[in-house]
Amino acid sequence: MPHSSDDRASLAAFALESPAPLYARVKDIILQQIRTGVWGPNFKLPSESELFNQLGVSRMTINRALRELTIEGVLVRLQGVGTFVAELKGHAALFQIHDIAEEITKRGHQHRSDVVLLEALAGKTPASLPFSLDEVQDLFHSVLVHYENDIPVQIEERFVNADIAPDYLQQDFTRITPFAYLMQLAPLTEAEHMVEAIHATPAECKLLHIKRTDPCLLIRRRSWSGKRQVGCARLIYPGSRYRLEGRFGQ
């Protein structure tokens, strides 16, 4: 979106009003634009060069302000793409299992997914298997990236019991999620999962558009339908874009 001369004037005027240090002044400028709704969620900020021209402070100062706001979760910086106003953090249920597409659409946001890998693993037990599947002979393996308003929020790696879903490889998982498809075939009756903080691999960082040092949340999950194992999954969330919630009781 182009930035008008009125935008530049309002930024410069606000910059002159604050006695704070320069980097804090730039942060205040950006926060003011967000709070007043001028820059809404997913708005692409002016580049560092444009901010330099508009505010007359050094690029180092601007970079510090953007970096701190990114760490605080106010902004999202995608390498080679730009800096964007972050959405309010999404959330995933910790004790309940839901379809990520349904979670995202319930928030009034747009979901889409990219299929990275879809293959058969007949007779193989991959080292990356999140849990043992001793009762399963043949596996299907899928890797998807899920997006919320075109921002990647989850890598889903799934290992599926081929006996339960023999047509798994023929599905279009850009139209239906693996979770929704499997629930049609074998509704889940039991699941176990583990949650931990990790650093994603370089390949996973590339898929999520994050840095190697950015923290992530990993859920490892195994599920059953009746007495049959459906499979297991690894779900990776960028820590700055998602949170896990849970509630339980008697």
Side-chain angles (χ1 to χ4, degrees), residues 28-43:
D28 286 342
I29 292 168
I30 294 170
L31 289 171
Q32 178 75 358
Q33 297 296 96
I34 294 171
R35 290 182 187 126
T36 58
V38 177
W39 294 353
N42 296 323
F43 179 88

Side-chain angles (χ1 to χ4, degrees), residues 170-207:
Q170 281 69 57
Q171 303 311 304
D172 182 357
F173 289 126
T174 65
R175 295 182 175 273
I176 184 172
T177 63
F179 174 84
Y181 175 68
L182 291 171
M183 284 293 287
Q184 294 174 3
L185 296 178
L188 301 185
T189 58
E190 184 180 352
E192 64 174 315
H193 53 232
M194 298 175 62
V195 182
E196 59 184 304
I198 65 165
H199 286 300
T201 67
E204 291 164 346
C205 289
K206 186 175 181 180
L207 291 174

Side-chain angles (χ1 to χ4, degrees), residues 45-226:
L45 271 66
S47 68
E48 290 188 17
S49 295
E50 289 175 306
L51 288 172
F52 168 77
N53 291 330
Q54 293 172 20
L55 302 178
V57 298
S58 71
R59 285 188 172 87
M60 184 179 298
T61 298
I62 292 169
N63 184 271
R64 176 175 177 178
L66 295 177
R67 186 172 67 250
E68 289 194 5
L69 288 172
T70 301
I71 293 171
E72 293 164 13
V74 176
L75 302 177
V76 175
R77 305 187 78 183
L78 304 181
Q79 188 174 4
V81 180
T83 302
F84 301 82
V85 177
E87 289 273 4
L88 292 175
K89 283 189 179 182
H91 66 276
L94 181 55
F95 297 105
Q96 296 178 326
I97 301 177
H98 296 296
D99 183 10
I100 187 171
E102 183 179 354
E103 289 177 1
I104 290 171
T105 55
K106 278 185 177 179
R107 290 194 285 272
H109 297 168
Q110 184 177 7
H111 168 269
R112 71 175 177 87
S113 60
D114 289 341
V115 178
V116 178
L117 182 67
L118 194 57
E119 63 177 357
L121 294 174
K124 297 179 182 178
T125 304
S128 59
L129 204 64
F131 287 98
S132 92
L133 295 174
D134 297 332
E135 304 168 18
V136 179
Q137 296 297 319
D138 296 328
L139 291 171
F140 294 137
H141 180 212
S142 60
V143 178
L144 281 77
V145 181
H146 295 281
Y147 295 80
E148 183 167 355
N149 293 345
D150 288 328
I151 296 175
V153 294
Q154 186 199 81
I155 294 175
E156 173 193 344
E157 181 178 25
R158 192 176 291 272
F159 299 87
V160 176
N161 184 345
D163 288 340
I164 284 180
D167 297 325
Y168 189 79
L169 299 184
Q170 281 69 57
Q171 303 311 304
D172 182 357
F173 289 126
T174 65
R175 295 182 175 273
I176 184 172
T177 63
F179 174 84
Y181 175 68
L182 291 171
M183 284 293 287
Q184 294 174 3
L185 296 178
L188 301 185
T189 58
E190 184 180 352
E192 64 174 315
H193 53 232
M194 298 175 62
V195 182
E196 59 184 304
I198 65 165
H199 286 300
T201 67
E204 291 164 346
C205 289
K206 186 175 181 180
L207 291 174
L208 291 172
H209 299 173
I210 60 175
K211 296 179 181 177
R212 183 70 178 89
T213 54
D214 289 349
C216 292
L217 297 170
L218 168 66
I219 298 178
R220 293 188 290 153
R221 179 176 289 148
R222 176 167 52 177
S223 56
W224 288 262
S225 182

